[in-house]
Amino acid sequence: MPDPAIRVIDVTKLYDGRAVLDRICLDVLQGETLAILGGSGSGKSTMLRLMIGNIPYDGGDIVGLGRSLASMTESELADYRRSIGVLFQSGALFNSMTVADNVALPLREHTDLPEETIDIMVKIKLELVGLREHADKMPAQLSGGMKKRAGLARAIALDPKILFYDEPSAGLDPVTSAEIDQLIIDLNHKLGVTSVVVTHEMDSAFRIADRMVLLDRGKFIISGTPQQLKDSTDPLVRQFVYGLTEGPLTDRRRSGTYESDLLGDYI
Ligand SMILES: Nc1ncnc2c1ncn2[C@@H]1O[C@H](COP(=O)(O)OP(=O)(O)OP(=O)(O)O)[C@@H](O)[C@H]1O
Ligand SMILES: [Mg+2]
């Protein structure tokens, strides 16, 4: 069994003295797609930002690709960040650049490759995400799904070992969302990368994940295969796994009573 790509060991993250992540343990196994699940504010994005070395943790340790992130120097951390790819919640494209230039950016910044080579690499990445014929468009000319694809092409520009996605299907219609899910699965297979997907969309999570972790208000609740989560008898897990596939829960979350609806006696 190879070492996990990432080990999260007893990690705590404090904001204003409050633990938004409380002694979390989880492993991301090499080559798998791990879904990090939880309601709004449960700490999913914070977990992702810790794993990509974007923010420091306050307790425990994170071992990424064999090294403790806390023990890395700035330049080692920069190396680590270059070996991972991130698709942020918004896609985060530069609006003043074409799609092709957005994808070329990491290659221009982090390699000495000649422009002709970069050109070819950009075409390959855009082809992988199905956007090759849109290379010369500006981000404003793209649909939401195409923006995600473009962000993804940029995230894989430097051939990352691990790909992180924060809510890849947020704001997309169900069909586009399913297409992005398929793309995540395809990239995982074609590139052989390890994938970490933060989501609260259960349909999406069940399509893509080999394993899942459920967080709730900063606490680890359960991890396992999709089937193990479906079979769980824990009322919180059941409510989350089955509840989120229904529409009204989303509305309740917006109205602010989501937590009490979701957690019931747990509060
Ligand atoms: N920079 C910050 N400063 C202070 N509090 C923060 C900061 N970032 C996150 N938090 C708090 O940490 C908690 C977890 O936030 P996080 O963004 O990780 O949740 P999430 O699970 O990704 O939610 P969502 O599904 O809405 O994206 C929230 O209570 C949030 O208010
Ligand atoms: Mg989030």
Side-chain angles (χ1 to χ4, degrees), residues 75-244:
S75 86
E76 287 168 338
L77 201 54
D79 281 345
Y80 171 72
R81 290 202 194 101
R82 269 196 290 281
S83 60
I84 63 177
V86 188
L87 181 65
F88 285 104
Q89 215 153 342
S90 60
L93 296 172
F94 291 99
N95 286 325
S96 60
M97 290 182 195
T98 64
V99 169
D101 283 336
N102 264 285
V103 179
L105 195 68
L107 294 160
R108 291 188 179 129
E109 270 185 1
H110 297 299
T111 73
D112 297 322
L113 294 169
E115 271 303 307
E116 304 83 74
T117 312
I118 288 181
D119 227 46
I120 294 167
M121 290 179 74
V122 167
K123 286 203 175 89
I124 293 171
K125 306 302 174 187
L126 286 175
E127 175 70 23
L128 271 170
V129 302
L131 273 189
R132 196 158 57 86
E133 62 273 37
H134 302 286
D136 298 324
K137 293 213 166 114
M138 303 303 282
Q141 297 172 280
L142 304 182
S143 68
M146 288 159 86
K147 279 187 189 147
K148 294 273 175 166
R149 286 170 187 272
L152 196 43
R154 194 178 59 192
I156 60 174
L158 294 168
D159 297 322
K161 295 190 176 73
I162 312 173
L163 259 176
F164 295 87
Y165 303 82
D166 197 352
E167 304 283 0
S169 45
L172 302 178
D173 66 75
V175 174
T176 311
S177 164
E179 284 170 3
I180 296 291
D181 288 341
Q182 191 55 49
L183 186 56
I184 293 172
I185 296 166
D186 289 349
L187 287 180
N188 182 261
H189 293 161
K190 279 184 196 158
L191 306 177
V193 289
T194 303
S195 311
V196 179
V197 184
V198 159
T199 184
H200 60 256
E201 311 263 347
M202 295 306 291
D203 287 351
S204 169
F206 277 106
R207 272 197 292 266
I208 59 181
D210 298 310
R211 286 193 318 122
M212 304 174 144
V213 174
L214 176 61
L215 303 179
D216 180 60
R217 294 189 297 173
K219 294 218 165 29
F220 171 94
I221 304 295
I222 189 175
S223 69
T225 62
Q227 195 58 48
Q228 283 170 329
L229 264 77
K230 276 185 178 165
D231 292 345
S232 170
T233 53
D234 181 324
L236 174 55
V237 178
R238 290 190 67 78
Q239 234 166 351
F240 193 83
V241 166
Y242 295 104
L244 261 187

Side-chain angles (χ1 to χ4, degrees), residues 15-16 18 20 39-46 49 89 167 200:
Y15 277 124
D16 309 320
R18 184 172 70 94
V20 299
S40 192
S42 58
K44 306 181 297 298
S45 294
T46 305
R49 294 179 68 204
Q89 215 153 342
E167 304 283 0
H200 60 256

